[in-house]
Structure formats: C-alpha cells, structure tokens
Amino acid sequence: MKNLIRLCLGVLTLAPILGFGQTLTPSQDTYYVPGSGTNFGTATSLTVGTLSSVGLVQFDLSSLPPGITSSQIQKATLTLFLNHVGAAGSINIDTVNASTPWGELTVNGITPPSTGSVVATAVPAITAFTFITVDATAAVQGWITSPPSNNGFMILPNTGAGLQFDTKENTSTSHPATLTIVLTSNGRSEEHTSELQSR
C-alpha cells in the first residue's frame, strides 16, 4: 500500500507545474505631448494620439516574492481600459528605455523618455469602454533580471488614432491599467511533505 501511495505521489509530481497570479496597478501613469512643457500627471485619462500624445505606465514589481527569477515568470499581461475613442485606430506598446527614467509629476514633452524594446504593435483600439490586453512576458522577465531597467511601458499612437485610457486617478469608471503576472511554483516543498507522510 505504501508503495502504491508513493507511486501515485510520483505521478503527481510529474504533472505540469501550476502557477499563481498577482495583479498590479500602476505606481505611475501619465502622458505627454511632444514639444509641450505641460505635465499631465494628475489627469484622469491617459491620452494617446491627440496632438501626437504618448502614454506612460509603470508598475512597481517589488511586491513580487523576494528572490524571484525571470524563469519563474510564466506569463505577464498588460491590460488597458479604453474609455473614449475620438478617432479609432491602433497603438504600439514599447518598454521605456532603461536610460530614460521619468516621474509622473515632472515628465513633459520637452525632454520625454525614449522607447526601449517592442512589446506589441498595431494593437486595435476601436471601441470605447473595452479592455485592451497584450502579452508583456518578455518585458517583465527583463525587468526581473535587471530591476533598474524597469521604466514601464510607452503607449504610442499610430496615424489617425485619438484615444483615452483610464488612469489610476480616474474614480468614475475606475479601471486603471493592470499588470497580471503568473508565477510558476517549484513544487519542492509539497513533494517533500507528501513523501514523508507516506512513510
């Protein structure tokens, strides 16, 4: 009987590793208009496209389990809530360059941050009051490997788009951007405990 229990437990330990998720809201979110010195850090909407405006969103990853490695990031998903469509179009999402940090209450279009790596291109943004979701796994894995490189995401308009997304300051619809991260579990402690119980 004990051997049978051990055999069953062995099969279970070979099963796919399950993940557990954590959803983060922005530590910073704003937008800038190229060439303008105005700061929009307290705005309730993140405008993208009007006057060529560009959105910025950053998440603090320090609440993730300490010692986590990039290989433990199974999936990361960035979600934006599109609250107004002045002109339908599409957006590109990049990371913000590691060498150009920004502050929500200081950033402007005179000295804006620059783009880093590509996250998603030509993402449709057509219908108001809908969620837009993109895979951001590679970006988050890179930030876990090099935490100082985490300057967040840049949301860029493609030609003709005029869009607005909720910011964390928006208390009417209250759908700020989210970053959902699914982590793998190593399963070692569960395996060890089960084996001891079967003896």
Side-chain angles (χ1 to χ4, degrees):
M1 182 64 179
K2 289 182 178 180
N3 289 336
L4 178 60
I5 293 174
R6 287 179 179 175
L7 176 62
C8 292
L9 291 170
V11 172
L12 289 173
T13 60
L14 295 175
I17 293 174
L18 299 177
F20 59 96
Q22 187 166 345
T23 297
L24 308 177
T25 54
S27 55
Q28 300 193 107
D29 56 4
T30 187
Y31 69 96
Y32 67 85
V33 176
S36 170
T38 303
N39 171 265
F40 300 98
T42 60
T44 57
S45 290
L46 192 155
T47 301
V48 175
T50 305
L51 300 176
S52 300
S53 52
V54 175
L56 298 167
V57 182
Q58 186 176 28
F59 297 87
D60 182 358
L61 304 183
S62 64
S63 63
L64 296 177
I68 191 172
T69 64
S70 61
S71 63
Q72 290 175 274
I73 305 296
Q74 190 177 78
K75 179 85 170 180
T77 305
L78 173 67
T79 301
L80 306 168
F81 182 72
L82 182 59
N83 69 35
H84 177 75
V85 176
S90 66
I91 56 174
N92 296 336
I93 300 175
D94 293 349
T95 62
V96 177
N97 194 289
S99 65
T100 56
W102 53 279
E104 182 179 63
L105 299 178
T106 57
V107 67
N108 59 55
I110 302 297
T111 55
S114 58
T115 58
S117 58
V118 173
V119 175
T121 58
V123 180
I126 299 170
T127 306
F129 301 108
T130 57
F131 291 95
I132 293 175
T133 300
V134 299
D135 187 333
T137 306
V140 173
Q141 288 173 334
W143 295 335
I144 294 298
T145 299
S146 176
S149 68
N150 176 15
N151 287 326
F153 299 98
M154 184 176 288
I155 305 162
L156 303 111
N158 287 314
T159 303
L163 312 164
Q164 289 185 328
F165 301 89
D166 272 14
T167 66
K168 59 183 173 58
E169 288 80 12
N170 191 322
T171 57
S172 57
T173 49
S174 299
H175 295 306
T178 59
L179 184 64
T180 301
I181 300 173
V182 178
L183 306 174
T184 59
S185 172
N186 59 30
R188 291 177 182 174
S189 60
E190 291 85 356
E191 179 183 349
H192 180 64
T193 301
S194 298
E195 186 176 347
L196 288 175
Q197 290 174 343
S198 70
R199 292 178 180 175

